[in-house]
Amino acid sequence: MPVIALVLGLPLLTGCAIDKGTALASDFEEDWAGTPDVVDIRTTDYNTLPFLGTATGVVILKDGTSADRVAELANELGEYVAGNDKTTGRITADGVTFTVVADKTRTGEVLALWQSLTDDDRVVNGDIKDAPRKETDRWDIEVTAVDPTGAMAVFKDMMTDGDQHRPLSQVTSLKVSTEHGVRPSLHVETDFHDGFPAEAIAAYEAVVAQYPVVGATLRRDPTTGSAVSIVVADSGDLDRAGELARTAAPNLGAAVKVTSDNTD
């Protein structure tokens, strides 16, 4: 009897995949294969405990896919993830990747941001991720811009309800950078509380208005909210540049650092 019971139980056991994440990823690939305008599908699986796991699937659309078609696929993917809550669905279209959630209102906002980013000549690529924290809806956005001027302009536009990009209604973490290895460079991001880093930006702009800057990083800091690192060209007055930055950001104190370019 124990042997018979074991044999009869095997079909029930094998009906649930031991590597659940792998099974979900495989299902995603199978379900979206052959979809018109989809040129590639990429998946990542996360297997945790036996029979438990999650997966992320990205559908990559052919270049030039119309905004209406992107919206159509986003709505279909939203319905898919609503029915498969352990699967995250994402779309890559014209260099910008975004996560689709079951909430249609949030997906509509992300679609509008995707379109404005792809229409912006200052933007090289971007990534919009759903990143909830402590049961609070939250987006994590990364954008690559063509140059420091474009990076700062895009950052301000997205954070202050500018002319081109409408901010998402949920709390947002935003990072905008120039392409890796390109000089001059700039990386600017929201402060430690996901807010606009006013003093950090003021410090950077005070220096760049007077001296050539070859690189700058305005990053979040748990103590001061933001930290600033500015590298001026060797021809610049380092002491004066440092004074300008610290005067513009008096509350950041030692979190503001100005150094000289020593690459030559």
Side-chain angles (χ1 to χ4, degrees):
M1 286 296 294
V3 174
I4 295 173
L6 176 61
V7 172
L8 291 176
L10 281 176
L12 297 177
L13 182 64
T14 55
C16 294
I18 294 179
D19 293 329
K20 182 65 173 179
T22 301
L24 291 171
S26 178
D27 288 345
F28 188 94
E29 293 181 358
E30 182 178 344
D31 293 340
W32 287 88
T35 302
D37 300 311
V38 174
V39 295
D40 195 10
I41 299 172
R42 298 175 186 173
T43 59
T44 305
D45 57 75
Y46 306 90
N47 296 307
T48 52
L49 297 174
F51 310 108
L52 296 177
T54 60
T56 296
V58 186
V59 291
I60 301 171
L61 308 187
K62 67 180 181 182
D63 291 342
T65 299
S66 71
D68 287 343
R69 178 58 175 156
V70 175
E72 180 182 11
L73 288 169
N75 289 328
E76 291 178 9
L77 187 54
E79 294 177 358
Y80 184 91
V81 297
N84 299 271
D85 63 349
K86 298 302 181 182
T87 301
T88 298
R90 312 194 75 213
I91 292 176
T92 297
D94 291 336
V96 176
T97 302
F98 59 94
T99 299
V100 175
V101 296
D103 187 323
K104 292 185 178 181
T105 299
R106 294 184 70 204
T107 294
E109 289 186 351
V110 170
L111 276 169
L113 182 56
W114 162 80
Q115 185 159 13
S116 66
L117 288 173
T118 55
D119 288 342
D120 192 335
D121 291 338
R122 301 167 300 186
V123 172
V124 177
N125 55 58
D127 194 338
I128 309 169
K129 295 180 181 177
D130 182 33
R133 178 186 294 171
K134 296 181 179 179
E135 300 182 356
T136 300
D137 289 336
R138 182 173 179 272
W139 295 103
D140 187 354
I141 305 173
E142 296 187 20
V143 176
T144 303
V146 293
D147 56 32
T149 300
M152 184 60 74
V154 169
F155 183 88
K156 288 182 176 180
D157 194 302
M158 293 180 66
M159 287 298 297
T160 59
D161 198 10
D163 296 332
Q164 189 160 355
H165 305 293
R166 181 180 301 173
L168 300 175
S169 60
Q170 282 76 25
V171 176
T172 300
S173 167
L174 174 64
K175 301 176 184 178
V176 183
S177 306
T178 50
E179 292 186 88
H180 180 72
V182 173
R183 284 164 61 100
S185 65
L186 173 64
H187 172 91
V188 54
E189 62 185 63
T190 45
D191 66 22
F192 192 69
H193 304 289
D194 292 331
F196 185 78
E199 281 201 58
I201 289 176
Y204 168 76
E205 292 183 334
V207 175
V208 80
Q210 297 291 327
Y211 300 103
V213 172
V214 297
T217 301
L218 285 57
R219 60 174 178 80
R220 60 180 58 210
D221 181 82
T223 302
T224 59
S226 292
V228 181
S229 176
I230 302 172
V231 181
V232 297
D234 283 341
S235 58
D237 185 333
L238 185 60
D239 291 337
R240 176 57 180 159
E243 181 182 350
L244 287 170
R246 287 185 288 272
T247 299
N251 294 316
L252 299 188
V256 177
K257 292 181 173 59
V258 180
T259 58
S260 178
D261 180 26
N262 296 312
T263 58
D264 293 337

